[in-house]
Amino acid sequence: MQNARTMLRHANPAGIGEKEPARSFVHVLADRSDKLAGVCSMLEERFAVAGERLDAEAKLSQVPSAIIIRADMRDIDNIAAIKKRARNLAKAPKRIFLLEHSSHVGISQAYALGATLVLPGTINRSRLLAALADPADPSLASGETAQSDTAVEAAATAIASMFTAVTLGQPLDVDGTKEAGRQIANRIAERGLSEWLATVRRHHEGTYQHCLLVTGVAIDFGLSLGVGRADLERLYSAAMFHDIGKAQIPLAILDKPGSLDAEERALIETHPAAGYAFLKEHDKISPEILDAVRHHHEYLDGSGYPDALCAESIGDIVRILTISDIFTALIEHRHYKPTLPRAEAYNILCGMNGKLEKALVRSFREVALTR
């Protein structure tokens, strides 16, 4: 196979003189020819596809609707080749990285190189085609969609960098993470929660999707309660940081299809205390945020973890964050479990008698069902 190749399928199989609708142009980059052929073959029935090896001279002459990169992000030569193409990559509205070796570091590296979506693990054709599809809401103008996606990209990059800092023992960019939370708050204040949920689902899956969605739900809950600016900042900062302890847990367990065994469940339940231990060394993290990170899995009846706190020991930010976290886990998209409708998820919250503050659950109804 040649280093660079173009595949444009435009023949009319019926032989009739009618024109086939114009196809969106997708450019594929890969570090090996077999990878290049594999991705191109998935796409060529629906898209006009051009493919190049990363070690070939760049020959892209037009701006594609999407660029897909399949390469080993542990290889410094691959990273250097992607950086050389940075200017052209930035022109494509969708930049999808397919990672075969999933890790927090690899995902963070992809976002640093300009990814708008990272799909870890085995490549799923249906998931890839869905990511390339046009947004489901045609009423959004292209400029508004781009603005919304920019907020998602900034937040995802902050979360990926945060996870990498824990994994590698590097300094944490506290200000950058809080700034990403502020951008989410501004976006939700402008466009509402439903738009945020839809946008995040178009871009992310698994643990990173969960962090983005929890932050959005918590912000909208705070806005609906009329909390002040300072409390809203504490709330979205707590939401951004709440699962940072999961950086020490392999993605294979975090995003495992199906049920966890007892050992895996016990490992998952270490993340609140692990996140707290990491963040308490940073003087820019307030006590309220540290409390929320450690205790967002506590319940009023004392049945939560890690400290089995009871009602009077659980602060307001924790109570709001816990409701937001549970609701998000029920409605988020995972390929291995059904996504509950928002009304059904809210009914589950209502049924958690003794565990959640009833007044807050009642106040959350508007967020869950109408916003």
Side-chain angles (χ1 to χ4, degrees):
M1 178 181 289
Q2 296 176 347
N3 279 350
R5 77 181 207 172
T6 301
M7 291 178 288
L8 299 173
R9 297 182 56 170
H10 54 268
N12 184 346
I16 303 173
E18 60 190 40
K19 283 188 177 181
E20 183 178 346
R23 296 180 179 218
S24 297
F25 173 43
V26 176
H27 189 62
V28 181
L29 295 167
D31 56 357
R32 293 205 324 245
S33 296
D34 58 332
K35 295 180 184 180
L36 186 66
V39 177
C40 289
S41 66
M42 292 182 184
L43 306 176
E44 58 187 358
E45 289 185 5
R46 296 195 185 183
F47 301 93
V49 182
E52 287 180 359
R53 283 256 306 249
L54 279 170
D55 57 3
E57 182 181 351
K59 295 181 179 179
L60 184 61
S61 59
Q62 67 183 99
V63 178
S65 62
I67 290 178
I68 299 173
I69 298 176
R70 185 182 182 190
D72 188 344
M73 301 305 292
R74 300 170 300 178
D75 188 319
I76 59 174
D77 290 334
N78 289 339
I79 293 173
I82 295 170
K83 287 181 177 179
K84 284 180 64 176
R85 290 171 162 83
R87 181 174 299 178
N88 285 334
L89 291 177
K91 296 176 182 178
K94 294 183 179 181
R95 302 176 294 278
I96 302 173
F97 282 58
L98 306 177
L99 298 191
E100 296 142 352
H101 305 281
S102 297
S103 69
H104 297 303
V105 176
I107 293 174
S108 180
Q109 180 69 69
Y111 283 120
L113 290 169
T116 59
L117 171 65
V118 178
L119 296 180
T122 303
I123 299 172
N124 180 293
R125 181 175 183 270
S126 298
R127 179 70 182 89
L128 181 56
L129 291 176
L132 290 168
D134 290 333
D137 185 358
S139 65
L140 293 177
S142 59
E144 293 171 332
T145 302
Q147 185 181 5
S148 171
D149 291 352
T150 298
V152 174
E153 291 170 28
T157 300
I159 289 172
S161 298
M162 178 177 71
F163 272 54
T164 298
V166 177
T167 304
L168 301 180
Q170 297 175 342
L172 180 66
D173 183 4
V174 175
D175 292 336
T177 304
K178 289 183 177 180
E179 170 59 20
R182 186 190 65 79
Q183 289 187 38
I184 299 175
N186 290 343
R187 192 65 197 159
I188 289 176
E190 294 170 2
R191 297 293 306 236
L193 177 62
S194 293
E195 189 269 348
W196 177 255
L197 298 180
T199 303
V200 170
R201 286 165 174 164
R202 287 200 302 269
H203 287 256
H204 298 280
E205 61 179 22
T207 299
Y208 289 68
Q209 180 192 99
H210 178 75
C211 291
L212 292 168
L213 294 180
V214 169
T215 302
V217 171
I219 286 169
D220 199 59
F221 195 7
L223 291 172
S224 73
L225 294 171
V227 303
R229 181 175 178 178
D231 284 334
L232 185 65
E233 180 179 337
R234 280 189 281 269
L235 182 57
Y236 65 63
S237 298
M240 288 289 287
F241 287 121
H242 83 286
D243 269 349
I244 192 171
K246 288 182 177 178
Q248 298 180 352
I249 300 172
L251 284 172
I253 294 178
L254 290 178
D255 298 332
K256 177 185 176 181
S259 301
L260 300 173
D261 61 32
E263 185 176 347
E264 291 167 337
R265 171 55 58 187
L267 182 59
I268 288 286
E269 292 186 359
T270 65
H271 81 269
Y276 170 83
F278 179 78
L279 290 174
K280 72 177 182 179
E281 303 302 322
H282 295 74
D283 55 11
K284 291 184 177 181
I285 306 292
S286 70
E288 296 93 340
I289 295 173
L290 289 173
D291 180 55
V293 169
R294 184 176 180 90
H295 296 130
H296 64 277
H297 283 290
E298 302 283 4
Y299 292 134
L300 300 182
D301 62 3
S303 63
Y305 65 88
D307 298 318
L309 298 183
C310 291
E312 65 276 4
S313 302
I314 301 176
D316 291 341
I317 290 179
V318 176
R319 296 179 188 217
I320 293 172
L321 184 58
T322 299
I323 291 172
S324 303
D325 189 29
I326 296 170
F327 180 75
T328 297
L330 294 170
I331 67 166
E332 66 190 13
H333 291 175
R334 295 291 182 110
H335 63 272
Y336 53 81
K337 75 174 183 65
T339 300
L340 291 184
R342 289 167 68 168
E344 189 173 338
Y346 180 68
N347 287 336
I348 290 176
L349 290 178
C350 293
M352 296 179 67
N353 295 323
K355 296 183 180 297
L356 306 174
E357 184 178 334
K358 286 186 177 180
L360 278 177
V361 173
R362 285 195 297 269
S363 297
F364 188 69
R365 185 178 190 277
E366 181 184 357
V367 175
L369 304 182
T370 67
R371 293 170 71 94

